[in-house]
Amino acid sequence: MSQEFDALVIGMGQAGPSLAARLSSAGMKVAVLEEDKFGGTCVNNGCTPTKAMVASAYAAHLARRSGEYGVIAQGTPRVDMKRVKARKDAIVQKSRDGLESWMTGLKGATVYRGHARFVGPSEVQVGAEKLRAERIFLNVGGRALVPQMPGLETVPYLTNVTMMDLDFVPEHLVVVGGSYVGLEFAQMFRRFGSRVTVVEMGPRVVAREDEDVSLEIQRFLGDEGIQLRLHAECITVQKESDGFSLGLDCKDGAPRVTGTHLLLAVGRVPNTDDLGLDVAGVKTDKRGYVEVDEALRTTNPKVWALGDCNGKGAFTHTAYNDYEIVAGNLLSNAGRKHSDRIPVYALYTDPPLGRVGLSEREIKEKGIKALVGKRPMSRVARAVEKGETNGFLKIHVEQGTRRILGAALLGVGADESVQSILDAVYAGMPYSEFQRHVRIHPTVSELLPTVMEDLSPLD
Ligand SMILES: Cc1cc2nc3c(=O)[nH]c(=O)nc-3n(C[C@H](O)[C@H](O)[C@H](O)COP(=O)(O)OP(=O)(O)OC[C@H]3O[C@@H](n4cnc5c(N)ncnc54)[C@H](O)[C@@H]3O)c2cc1C
């Protein structure tokens, strides 16, 4: 016999908890299902712990540079990785515990722990229990992709999950994958004191970004002593007495890289392979992402997919927005769509990259006639005063309409300043209007209108 519910919420990531709470406050009988830790990737081994560790790495970096600011710190700064980890763990634990007690205390909700799998179009099994509902919500997220690399089975390797357990500074960390996750770990561990080599298969890091963005990131990471090995088209792994070596079919540099610790950061896969989706008539694409319509409904009209598992976003804010869309449509007939969202995200290197809207590459691919304004951070007063002048501000506008199309802000505070451009893009505001708004001095944001004073046609 199945237990009957109004709604099943599978996965307690970034959409599930808020959705469960909203449905229960609307009077529904809700089952909450989680197989591992409450909070999913973001809370346990993604955003929260990495940003806590980025903060420790920044403190180490600034301590080493303290003399530049006229501050005499006695002796050479040292990193106590046990304390870095303890600080990070405490932040994570508080967040996870908060979520867990929220869910276990939810009126009208029952929490089930274990792996959930469909056994029918409206029925799910978790442990020995069978649960039925007319509305089932998947928020199952994703995990690190482990690539097929010859010899990988002969050596231990780390992912974003096991990196969280390190309470020592690896002697030589080799990061395979020069994209968002890989670069954040690379810079933080370099600042903790590791030798760091980033091995990237493509011709540049963060290849989704414009070339000038990649090159500037490569420059400042190189200045910190991070070795970059690009064009590593064919990677093989070999165990060595004191670690491992990677064979690289690289165009530049020696064909082998040795290291003591190996981090794989080459992408993510959705947790949809062991959900019994075929039994429920829920289709996935070739890469395993659940197919959804604009309202995030799957090919089974009683099942919705939210967050990373639907392939419509790969961020906490997109997962949370999925919750807002689904809840708004179900409970308030809001008519919301995931395609209404404007792409926005940050890469938390130091300085960070804040990205919104179309990139230069996308603008060219679409054949849009556009203008570009660009200013180095060395000409931004706030950056000069802070002694952090790496990066640049770059904004694109449409030639005829003067609409802001997008921006790549790479510089101190860019994860915050990019949001002012985001609001203008949502408002469809012409840049001439944006320029009339008076901003606080000295900030990075005050220079955004100035960047738009020197617009030139995109070639
Ligand atoms: C290192 C790293 C850093 C990141 N930093 C950022 C950042 O700074 N900002 C940002 O916006 N994003 C960041 N992200 C991405 C962000 O973590 C994800 O986009 C976000 O967590 C997606 O949330 P979700 O709700 O889709 O899934 P998840 O958070 O992955 O949660 C899914 C949950 O479902 C559970 N589950 C899975 N299958 C089942 C099942 N069959 N039965 C029961 N439970 C199940 C899992 O245990 C998990 O708890 C980062 C990711 C990584 C890896």
Side-chain angles (χ1 to χ4, degrees):
M1 267 288 283
S2 292
Q3 307 228 41
E4 290 286 337
F5 288 88
D6 295 316
L8 310 183
V9 183
I10 304 177
M12 288 294 105
Q14 296 306 303
S18 303
L19 183 63
R22 182 91 180 265
L23 298 177
S24 102
S25 71
M28 290 189 197
K29 186 181 170 199
V30 180
V32 164
L33 295 83
E34 172 54 54
E35 67 176 354
D36 193 5
K37 294 173 181 157
F38 279 71
T41 307
C42 184
V43 168
N44 297 290
N45 40 60
C47 339
T48 306
T50 53
K51 267 79 259 179
M53 290 161 82
V54 162
S56 290
Y58 179 72
H61 182 64
L62 212 53
R64 288 187 196 106
R65 295 184 59 208
S66 60
E68 293 175 38
Y69 295 87
V71 176
I72 314 302
Q74 295 282 305
T76 312
R78 274 188 323 107
V79 170
D80 180 343
M81 210 45 213
K82 287 196 167 39
R83 285 169 66 178
V84 170
K85 180 175 180 297
R87 174 181 180 274
K88 178 265 293 177
D89 286 345
I91 294 169
V92 167
Q93 181 92 41
K94 192 160 182 248
S95 183
R96 179 167 68 224
D97 289 352
L99 262 173
E100 189 163 351
S101 58
W102 184 29
M103 288 300 105
T104 47
L106 219 53
K107 203 167 155 254
T110 313
V111 172
Y112 292 87
R113 286 158 199 280
H115 184 84
R117 200 178 282 110
F118 282 97
V119 288
S122 301
E123 200 173 13
V124 162
Q125 176 140 13
V126 52
E129 311 269 2
K130 282 192 182 157
L131 318 177
R132 259 191 60 83
E134 289 301 294
R135 299 173 198 86
I136 300 180
F137 303 95
L138 306 176
N139 179 220
V140 293
R143 60 184 186 274
L145 167 71
V146 177
Q148 302 277 327
M149 290 191 326
L152 186 61
E153 67 289 350
T154 64
V155 299
Y157 59 82
L158 296 153
T159 65
N160 67 294
V161 176
T162 45
M163 283 301 279
M164 296 302 144
D165 301 331
L166 292 192
D167 63 357
F168 61 92
V169 177
E171 195 183 315
H172 186 175
L173 179 68
V174 176
V175 181
V176 177
S179 203
Y180 308 90
V181 171
L183 293 187
E184 289 182 14
F185 278 119
Q187 191 181 35
M188 79 172 82
F189 274 85
R190 178 66 192 143
R191 290 178 170 192
F192 291 151
S194 294
R195 272 180 68 197
V196 174
T197 303
V198 175
V199 173
E200 165 56 44
M201 291 158 204
R204 56 188 170 92
V205 298
V206 282
R208 255 186 61 183
E209 304 300 337
D210 293 337
E211 193 173 2
D212 53 356
V213 171
S214 299
L215 295 181
E216 176 63 358
I217 292 173
Q218 288 175 196
R219 188 195 61 73
F220 67 68
L221 292 182
D223 283 354
E224 289 193 28
I226 294 171
Q227 301 283 323
L228 286 178
R229 300 299 304 273
L230 305 171
H231 299 285
E233 277 145 23
C234 174
I235 303 172
T236 54
V237 189
Q238 194 174 303
K239 191 170 168 48
E240 306 286 350
S241 56
D242 52 353
F244 62 89
S245 67
L246 298 187
L248 313 177
D249 196 358
C250 279
K251 283 190 192 131
D252 42 23
R256 290 201 91 74
V257 159
T258 55
T260 58
H261 292 79
L262 176 63
L263 166 62
L264 300 178
V266 294
R268 310 273 303 160
V269 284
N271 291 326
T272 53
D273 45 338
D274 191 17
L275 263 179
L277 292 179
D278 44 343
V279 181
V282 173
K283 281 198 189 144
T284 58
D285 69 13
K286 277 196 292 242
R287 295 186 304 153
Y289 290 100
V290 179
E291 287 181 13
V292 288
D293 65 12
E294 286 280 26
L296 305 173
R297 210 184 273 256
T298 70
T299 45
N300 175 339
K302 294 176 181 174
V303 180
W304 288 255
L306 302 86
D308 283 11
C309 71
N310 66 25
K312 301 297 174 200
F315 303 99
T316 282
H317 47 276
T318 48
Y320 188 79
N321 183 236
D322 285 356
Y323 141 68
E324 295 176 316
I325 292 167
V326 169
N329 292 349
L330 275 178
L331 302 173
S332 316
N333 209 12
R336 293 185 68 166
K337 302 186 295 225
H338 71 78
S339 59
D340 287 340
R341 116 178 132 210
I342 291 161
V344 64
Y345 55 88
L347 159 66
Y348 289 93
T349 46
D350 175 31
L353 169 70
R355 275 274 298 111
V356 59
L358 297 176
S359 67
E360 195 160 306
R361 181 176 51 79
E362 288 165 332
I363 290 168
K364 285 180 179 166
E365 278 168 10
K366 287 176 187 289
I368 302 172
K369 277 207 171 323
L371 304 169
V372 58
K374 196 169 169 183
R375 187 180 190 89
M377 292 303 285
S378 56
R379 291 180 56 221
V380 174
R382 182 69 168 149
V384 174
E385 289 146 7
K386 291 187 112 175
E388 301 186 23
T389 53
N390 285 328
F392 55 77
L393 307 174
K394 183 169 76 160
I395 306 173
H396 292 101
V397 304
E398 193 169 24
Q399 213 163 23
T401 62
R402 300 176 160 223
R403 269 187 322 126
I404 301 170
L405 295 170
L409 308 185
L410 177 62
V412 61
D415 50 328
E416 297 289 350
S417 56
V418 76
Q419 319 249 21
S420 101
I421 297 194
L422 175 68
D423 288 336
V425 180
Y426 268 115
M429 189 187 292
Y431 78 87
S432 44
E433 170 67 25
F434 185 86
Q435 284 181 308
R436 285 170 167 242
H437 302 175
V438 178
R439 292 181 164 74
I440 299 165
H441 173 77
T443 58
V444 173
S445 299
E446 74 174 324
L447 264 297
L448 298 175
T450 315
V451 173
M452 299 177 195
E453 271 171 21
D454 298 320
L455 293 170
S456 58
L458 204 61
D459 35 62

